[in-house]
Amino acid sequence: MVALPGFRSETLNAVTVTLGETTELPVKLLLQSVTEVVQVTAESIPLFTASKAGTSDNVGTEVLEILPTINRSIQDFARVSPHFVQYAFNGDPSALSVAGRNTRYNNLQIDGAVNNDLFSIAASAGTPGGSAETQPISLDAIQELQLVVAPYDVRQGSFSGGGVNAITRSGTNAIRGSAFYLFRDQGLVGDGIDDRPIATFNDKQFGGTLGGPIVKSTSFFLGNLEWGRKETPSGYSISGTSGIGFGRQAEAQRFLDIMRRRYGYNPGTLDEYIRGTDNNKVFARADFNLSNSQLTVRHNYVDGFNDVGTQTNTTYNFPDNFYRFHSQTNSTVGQLNSSFGSKFNEFRVTYQRIRDFRTTDSRFPQVTVRLPDGGSFEAGTEQFSTANELDQDIFELTNDLTIVRGAHTITLGTHNEFFKFRNLFIRDNFGTYTFASLDTFEAGSAQSYDYSFSTTGDPQFAAEFPSYQIGFYAGDQWRMRQNFTLTYGLRWDKPFFPDEPTANPQAVAIYGYATDVVPQTQTWSPRVGFNWDLTKDLTRQQVRGGIGLFGGRTPYVWLSNQYGNTGIEFRRLQTTFAATNNIAFVADPDNQPTTVGRASTNEIDVLDPSYDFPSLFRGNLAYDRSLPFGLTGTVEFLFANDAKDIAYENLNLLQTATREDGRPFYGRLSPTFGDVILLTNSTEGQSWSVAGKVDKQFRGGWYMSGSYLYGQAKSINDGTNSQARSTWINVYTAGDINNPPLAVSNYDVRHRIVLTGSYLFTLRDVGVTLSMFYNGQTGRPYSYNFGSDVNGDGATTNDLLFYPRDGDVTFTTGSYQELAAFLGAGNCTDVVPGAIVTRNSCRTPWTNGLDFHAAVNAGIGRFKPEFTFDILNLINLFDSSKGQVDYAAFHDLLVVNATASTTGEYSYSVNSIARPGGVRYTRDDLRSRWQAQIGLRLRF
């Protein structure tokens, strides 16, 4: 309502105010003496507002309720933005990659309060419960999503990827509620490209929401409960009864026979493993109107577990090698919003408690047996789950004061977070063995061995350390002219680490780096953005843009490595794989050998004293315009250059020779240690994209949005792993492994098309909703690699392939013609004979995904039942060969196993994937089939 003494008041209805932005509506008031009836109609287009300068999107209530979703995930709606891409590492649960950045670099908020998995162990994490394949909050509790990429509001921080802010619903003066039940099983899943029914599968989701007044117009409540129960096939079987056939049945049966007869252990059957995934969610919110203030108190509880294991077309994990990941999150928030004339203050306090841990059904050393065709079997307790627990306690204190002074809207604020971590992680604690063949496995003679154990009085010693981060910021939104607004400000964030890791004098003496070093960094984040309104007559148009420095946290799992791997608290035996090794296999997990020949006895992780948290310069330039038929169009250029990102080096490597293809060959500086990994910085990463988008707001029953994006992202290290050694060694390079060149990022998207639309209509007093979502994009990047260690760095899967000329190398298995045909059949660049291939120079096929949603509802008194039907991967329903989700596991294909003679010449053994009849990619079996879901919702 707009009121002014001496004038008639006017009420404007159906006005949309975009989250985080201002919406301006011109209103003319008539003198109070005028008696005729005047009807005022106002419509705002959220895109056109003076406060919008950066790259952002909003997903409103209507869109949340009508677009297709089976997982009821925030991701299912964030993906409508061209810059927010669902990324799944191998067949893991998906996470959001924003503008070509690591999924760990995002910031998730609920009602502006931090709701992150700060530790971010898994690549699919970043949100609490991510590895448990549950959602951080019930979808029914969300009213609106704010998606930010380059915000020039200084209140937005703590990310160098993207930000997602979920605004929750609140109660009103009317008692309203809903209950729902969603169901799908194997009968609602297609037979797939192999025309084979899926194994046992079912997914049940059910819950309800109730809201209303506690005291009318004064206090309100809203509560939500939700449960999920799911069983999912793992995707591969050796028996061939379901899933994708792994083959190698005779070898698998011999492996089982050896396990049972020779070692008295049963790793499971040859049938497809069925994974369990359950979760429970509780959300409660209360709002209180207190004179000039509003108090909000809410609590969010998420408890879930997920059976985890990755099957590929070359590696088969037996059922006992899967582990169960448990996650429980409690988050409590209190927020007080107060207004004092032209001032507005937001005060918020948050406490978040996260408890994650892994359990297994077996106690047996992990065993990997290599097969002649390049495949392998894995069984026993998963090597990273023998002792794995994580506790996170997070406390947040934030205060934002907004002051309106004429043409200026000034913001002064502080954001402070206090953390406490406890990380129990002892890898290979039951022993990890690799065998060159089934024969050596049967003989009990291993070719590599890893074992870690505590040297303290506590066999389950955990790294514990606190940390806190303080931040202050000041910003101004200056309306310089009626049609030009400048947004600018400065933000300062600084982390503190009160406790230092244990000092190890040997690290300083041998490598020149101390183990008791913690980050001494700070981030200054200046930002400036503008909005220039060029509206003429009825055509709305604007130019906007800006640039800023955006800094985020280092995922704390990368910093915990320095606390857990000082070389003091743990002993880690490591014997690099060699066909000539003869290590006695010990099947008892509690009596593993503590000395093995010439095995290195420790790993040390150190930090560069000048290390800085990840940050980047990011900017945008965009043009927005209203179009006929109620459409709006946008063209936007987005760019970024790393100021600081992660880089790793192994200080214990020393080049001792050069291979025939020109790559270095390494030895150990000190045989006492296996790997000494330094975390430092790189400044070379970069990305850019151009996006075009056309939208139609939800009006008259119609909603539509379409976008096209072309982008490139390059990096030094994508940070896809959690352990220091893994993050270092999985950066594929043809040269100096401690100085990798800039290359295509794992998160590089290139072409992406997104189309969404919905139509609501009435048919004989029955409401009908039809909606769809389409995503088409370039396939994931990957590399051609050796399946053996050719450069002596101790890893057998990270060496880029040398593509020889005919006659350059000898072949023990396969032929040059088979190799050349395979390499030439890929969608690759820079793959030429006589050279080492470059990282991520190949692409998997283009992917298409089409989802459909239909809903029918009718009012019955106060109640409104709604029947829903969703189809995921609709394209596959019409053609089982379409809608396939193929990927190269770990972003590489292990094409050749190579050995080198004493004079350095290579001898190649071509693996089965590169020979006639071989399967190039791993297929995500469930995602490659159409799936349907039926549901019932009752509103009242």
Side-chain angles (χ1 to χ4, degrees):
M1 175 180 289
V2 182
L4 191 67
F7 294 85
R8 296 185 55 183
S9 62
E10 298 293 352
T11 300
L12 308 183
N13 298 312
V15 176
T16 301
V17 179
T18 303
L19 182 66
E21 296 173 0
T22 58
T23 297
E24 299 178 0
L25 294 172
V27 179
K28 293 182 179 180
L29 300 181
L30 299 180
L31 291 172
Q32 203 167 33
S33 58
V34 177
T35 57
E36 64 265 28
V37 176
V38 178
Q39 182 176 356
V40 177
T41 301
E43 180 178 17
S44 94
I45 303 176
L47 178 64
F48 297 100
T49 172
S51 60
K52 186 174 180 65
T55 305
S56 64
D57 276 291
N58 281 75
V59 182
T61 305
E62 299 91 345
V63 178
L64 291 172
E65 291 181 347
I66 62 176
L67 284 189
T69 176
I70 282 184
N71 295 319
R72 292 174 51 79
S73 165
I74 288 176
Q75 296 178 39
D76 289 345
F77 301 95
R79 64 182 180 173
V80 302
S81 166
H83 301 99
F84 284 68
V85 180
Q86 283 185 295
Y87 168 86
F89 182 71
N90 296 337
D92 294 346
S94 61
L96 291 172
S97 170
V98 182
R101 297 286 285 178
N102 190 317
T103 58
R104 291 180 166 102
Y105 285 170
N106 299 332
N107 185 34
L108 174 66
Q109 298 175 316
I110 297 179
D111 293 325
V114 171
N115 199 77
N116 295 300
D117 172 14
L118 299 177
F119 218 74
S120 295
I121 287 181
S124 59
T127 60
S131 294
E133 215 167 315
T134 185
Q135 306 307 320
I137 187 172
S138 169
L139 184 62
D140 279 13
I142 299 175
Q143 176 175 301
E144 184 179 0
L145 291 177
Q146 181 188 27
L147 312 173
V148 295
V149 183
Y152 304 117
D153 183 342
V154 290
R155 292 173 297 181
Q156 298 280 1
S158 300
F159 66 86
S160 60
V164 178
N165 187 15
I167 301 303
T168 60
R169 300 173 185 265
S170 61
T172 65
N173 273 332
I175 295 180
R176 300 185 185 278
S178 67
F180 74 94
Y181 179 81
L182 301 171
F183 172 77
R184 54 185 174 137
D185 65 7
Q186 61 264 29
L188 296 172
V189 178
D191 290 345
I193 194 172
D194 296 327
D195 195 27
R196 179 182 296 156
I198 200 167
T200 301
F201 172 73
N202 67 77
D203 184 8
K204 305 180 185 70
Q205 300 176 77
F206 45 96
T209 303
L210 181 66
I214 300 173
V215 177
K216 280 201 172 185
S217 303
T218 301
S219 55
F220 313 91
F221 76 93
L222 185 132
N224 169 266
L225 299 173
E226 183 172 322
W227 297 268
R229 301 292 182 267
K230 183 163 69 172
E231 292 181 312
T232 309
S234 57
Y236 281 81
S237 72
I238 292 178
S239 65
T241 55
S242 65
I244 302 169
F246 186 77
R248 308 170 175 94
Q249 290 190 15
E251 294 157 306
Q253 189 58 56
R254 184 185 172 195
F255 176 80
L256 278 181
D257 291 343
I258 295 171
M259 273 288 199
R260 294 165 178 167
R261 171 178 47 81
R262 177 91 161 78
Y263 303 114
Y265 177 73
N266 185 2
T269 70
L270 302 180
D271 294 333
E272 187 174 12
Y273 181 73
I274 307 301
R275 299 170 41 240
T277 305
D278 292 0
N279 64 80
N280 307 313
K281 304 184 189 74
V282 179
F283 176 84
R285 169 172 171 161
D287 295 271
F288 305 90
N289 293 328
L290 308 172
S291 184
N292 293 328
S293 301
Q294 183 187 53
L295 174 66
T296 299
V297 179
R298 66 168 177 81
H299 184 79
N300 188 45
Y301 168 81
V302 181
D303 182 31
F305 71 77
N306 182 33
D307 293 332
V308 181
T310 299
Q311 308 277 33
T312 74
N313 61 337
T314 58
T315 300
Y316 188 83
N317 300 82
F318 278 78
D320 68 325
N321 198 240
F322 284 71
Y323 63 88
R324 177 161 289 184
F325 184 91
H326 303 258
S327 180
Q328 185 182 98
T329 301
N330 280 278
S331 178
T332 303
V333 178
Q335 179 162 328
L336 181 65
N337 297 337
S338 306
S339 58
F340 311 96
S342 60
K343 300 181 182 67
F344 181 76
N345 193 78
E346 297 174 82
F347 173 78
R348 180 170 56 251
V349 59
T350 303
Y351 172 67
Q352 190 174 23
R353 183 180 186 272
I354 303 174
R355 296 294 183 265
D356 297 336
F357 62 96
R358 300 184 186 189
T359 58
T360 61
D361 292 331
S362 64
R363 299 188 82 257
F364 195 80
Q366 176 170 295
V367 169
T368 300
V369 176
R370 296 185 178 184
L371 305 174
D373 64 358
S376 63
F377 298 136
E378 288 189 358
T381 305
E382 199 270 339
Q383 67 183 113
F384 305 121
S385 303
T386 52
N388 197 320
E389 298 176 3
L390 173 63
D391 297 343
Q392 302 182 65
D393 292 277
I394 304 161
F395 180 78
E396 174 200 344
L397 188 65
T398 299
N399 193 84
D400 294 329
L401 175 64
T402 301
I403 305 170
V404 179
R405 287 287 185 270
H408 296 269
T409 302
I410 301 167
T411 299
L412 303 172
T414 180
H415 177 83
N416 310 280
E417 298 177 34
F418 305 85
F419 320 122
K420 183 179 180 182
F421 302 106
R422 173 187 172 272
N423 183 31
L424 168 62
F425 178 63
I426 310 176
R427 57 170 293 170
D428 308 308
N429 196 223
F430 292 172
T432 299
Y433 297 82
T434 302
F435 297 85
S437 66
L438 285 167
D439 290 337
T440 60
F441 179 50
E442 187 165 26
S445 173
Q447 282 61 64
S448 77
Y449 172 63
D450 291 90
Y451 176 54
S452 299
F453 59 95
S454 170
T455 59
T456 70
D458 182 3
Q460 298 281 292
F461 178 83
E464 298 186 46
F465 63 98
S467 175
Y468 58 94
Q469 180 165 313
I470 62 173
F472 296 93
Y473 40 86
D476 181 22
Q477 188 178 107
W478 181 14
R479 193 69 174 266
M480 298 179 67
R481 297 173 57 184
Q482 185 65 27
N483 67 337
F484 190 88
T485 301
L486 189 69
T487 302
Y488 59 98
L490 179 65
R491 183 184 179 107
W492 176 76
D493 293 282
K494 181 172 178 56
F496 294 87
F497 294 82
D499 295 347
E500 297 175 347
T502 304
N504 186 339
Q506 284 187 291
V508 178
I510 301 175
Y511 307 103
Y513 284 90
T515 58
D516 56 342
V517 172
V518 296
Q520 302 289 337
T521 182
Q522 60 183 344
T523 303
W524 292 93
S525 301
R527 306 174 191 179
V528 59
F530 72 92
N531 181 287
W532 186 13
D533 188 351
L534 301 175
T535 297
K536 293 182 179 179
D537 300 324
L538 298 179
T539 301
R540 300 294 305 273
Q541 54 184 330
Q542 64 186 15
V543 176
R544 54 185 172 83
I547 190 170
L549 180 69
F550 298 89
R553 310 175 191 86
T554 297
Y556 281 88
V557 65
W558 294 340
L559 299 177
S560 75
N561 291 317
Q562 283 73 47
Y563 285 89
N565 293 320
T566 65
I568 301 295
E569 291 84 4
F570 293 98
R571 178 78 44 87
R572 180 180 176 191
L573 275 67
Q574 180 183 17
T575 303
T576 302
F577 182 92
T580 56
N581 285 343
N582 183 12
I583 304 166
F585 174 58
V586 177
D588 184 351
D590 299 318
N591 289 286
Q592 293 298 298
T594 57
T595 58
V596 176
R598 300 173 63 184
S600 58
T601 57
N602 237 321
E603 173 184 332
I604 295 177
D605 296 335
V606 292
L607 184 74
D608 187 333
S610 62
Y611 174 77
D612 287 321
F613 278 18
S615 61
L616 53 73
F617 293 99
R618 178 179 282 166
N620 74 304
L621 183 64
Y623 173 67
D624 307 312
R625 183 185 178 95
S626 62
L627 302 172
F629 309 109
L631 301 174
T632 58
T634 294
V635 177
E636 186 156 16
F637 175 65
L638 180 71
F639 64 93
N641 286 285
D642 283 354
K644 298 288 183 179
D645 206 347
I646 61 164
Y648 283 87
E649 299 176 18
N650 191 333
L651 304 179
N652 202 34
L653 286 187
L654 182 69
Q655 183 175 351
T656 59
T658 302
R659 287 297 193 196
E660 68 167 298
D661 56 13
R663 82 181 73 216
F665 184 81
Y666 297 99
R668 289 290 190 270
L669 178 63
S670 170
T672 302
F673 298 101
D675 299 291
V676 179
I677 308 298
L678 170 70
L679 172 57
T680 183
N681 284 121
S682 163
T683 61
E684 297 184 53
Q686 58 185 246
S687 65
W688 65 270
S689 67
V690 176
K693 188 177 183 183
V694 176
D695 284 306
K696 183 185 185 300
Q697 284 185 265
F698 193 89
R699 293 288 186 272
W702 284 98
Y703 160 79
M704 66 83 62
S705 177
S707 65
Y708 166 77
L709 176 142
Y710 178 82
Q712 294 186 13
K714 295 184 177 181
S715 66
I716 297 295
N717 191 317
D718 281 314
T720 56
N721 299 90
S722 57
Q723 299 177 63
R725 180 181 185 273
S726 300
T727 311
W728 159 71
I729 210 157
N730 286 313
V731 179
Y732 311 145
T733 178
D736 183 356
I737 195 169
N738 282 332
N739 187 27
L742 192 67
V744 173
S745 168
N746 288 354
Y747 302 100
D748 181 270
V749 176
R750 298 299 162 98
H751 301 277
R752 185 180 185 225
I753 300 170
V754 177
L755 301 172
T756 60
S758 69
Y759 179 45
L760 279 64
F761 61 95
T762 300
L763 185 65
R764 293 187 177 181
D765 297 326
V766 175
V768 179
T769 301
L770 303 175
S771 65
M772 55 77 66
F773 173 87
Y774 168 79
N775 181 86
Q777 66 186 60
T778 305
R780 305 180 197 176
Y782 69 91
S783 308
Y784 288 137
N785 285 13
F786 284 112
S788 52
D789 183 9
V790 299
N791 70 346
D793 61 8
T796 58
T797 61
N798 71 323
D799 295 334
L800 290 170
L801 179 71
F802 171 61
Y803 182 6
R805 300 181 184 91
D806 194 3
D808 283 350
V809 303
T810 59
F811 285 80
T812 58
T813 303
S815 67
Y816 180 82
Q817 289 71 29
E818 289 176 349
L819 175 63
F822 178 81
L823 299 181
N827 177 22
C828 305
T829 59
D830 298 326
V831 177
V832 294
I836 301 174
V837 301
T838 56
R839 176 164 68 101
N840 283 343
S841 57
C842 300
R843 292 276 179 174
T844 58
W846 177 277
T847 60
N848 292 292
L850 178 62
D851 302 339
F852 173 77
H853 170 78
V856 177
N857 62 73
I860 303 176
R862 184 177 177 179
F863 297 94
K864 187 178 182 180
E866 179 181 68
F867 298 91
T868 61
F869 182 68
D870 291 81
I871 300 181
L872 183 70
N873 199 1
L874 181 63
I875 295 173
N876 185 256
L877 177 64
F878 299 111
D879 185 342
S880 62
S881 67
K882 306 298 183 183
Q884 300 302 298
V885 180
D886 296 323
Y887 62 91
F890 301 97
H891 287 272
D892 63 64
L893 296 181
L894 305 181
V895 181
V896 167
N897 286 352
T899 57
S901 67
T902 55
T903 55
E905 289 83 11
Y906 284 137
S907 177
Y908 279 13
S909 173
V910 181
N911 289 329
S912 62
I913 63 168
R915 304 193 67 190
V919 179
R920 177 180 289 264
Y921 301 119
T922 297
R923 185 170 79 243
D924 191 314
D925 189 38
L926 182 59
R927 287 179 172 132
S928 297
R929 302 171 185 245
W930 67 263
Q931 306 169 54
Q933 177 176 268
I934 56 177
L936 171 64
R937 178 178 292 274
L938 184 65
R939 292 186 172 90
F940 58 91

